[in-house]
Amino acid sequence: MDIHLTAIHWVYLSFILAIIGLMAMRRDTSLICIVGIFAIGLLATGRVGPSVSAVFESFIFAIKELIGTILIISIIVAMSRILIRTGINETMIAPFARMLRTPALAYWGIGLIMLVTSCFSGLPLPWR
């Protein structure tokens, strides 16, 4: 079985390496991703119209796949900001603050607290 790499494969590999390089330099990768999709589309079809269409179709595909994750992350961030602004996070941690003196104790203490609360979160409560 022979595998033949075409120009599209090499362009894809070069853009992946460029994206990794930009990520290592802590730069934005959006533009290089769009240019890469356009270049691969141009090589695959040989025309500009379908290449531009491929860019927009990739946006639609990405949104369809990631919208649930984006929504959950945004809700969690909003809820945590509300806890910080109202000061409820300090009140929730106050009973455990004496136990969480060092970073190691805080790590294991919060882990155990989460374990215990998650064990009881699925139990049916008598008043429900």
Side-chain angles (χ1 to χ4, degrees):
M1 176 179 190
D2 291 333
I3 299 174
H4 299 285
L5 298 179
T6 62
I8 294 174
H9 295 100
W10 292 110
V11 169
Y12 178 79
L13 180 63
S14 64
F15 275 102
I16 292 297
L17 293 175
I19 290 167
I20 292 172
L22 285 174
M23 289 172 68
M25 294 187 309
R26 297 178 185 257
R27 303 280 183 208
D28 186 30
T29 60
S30 302
L31 184 62
I32 194 77
C33 291
I34 294 169
V35 171
I37 293 168
F38 179 78
I40 291 170
L42 192 61
L43 275 174
T45 62
R47 297 183 313 199
V48 175
S51 303
V52 172
S53 178
V55 171
F56 287 103
E57 287 176 11
S58 68
F59 290 158
I60 293 169
F61 180 79
I63 288 172
K64 284 181 183 176
E65 293 294 319
L66 298 175
I67 194 70
T69 305
I70 293 168
L71 181 65
I72 289 171
I73 290 171
S74 63
I75 289 172
I76 290 172
V77 168
M79 289 171 49
S80 67
R81 286 184 182 166
I82 288 172
L83 290 175
I84 291 170
R85 284 183 187 163
T86 58
I88 294 173
N89 61 337
E90 298 291 332
T91 306
M92 287 171 39
I93 295 174
F96 307 106
R98 282 183 240 119
M99 295 185 299
L100 310 176
R101 294 285 180 206
T102 66
L105 282 175
Y107 176 80
W108 289 106
I110 291 171
L112 289 173
I113 292 167
M114 290 174 61
L115 173 71
V116 170
T117 56
S118 67
C119 286
F120 292 108
S121 65
L123 294 176
L125 299 174
W127 58 84
R128 283 190 187 173

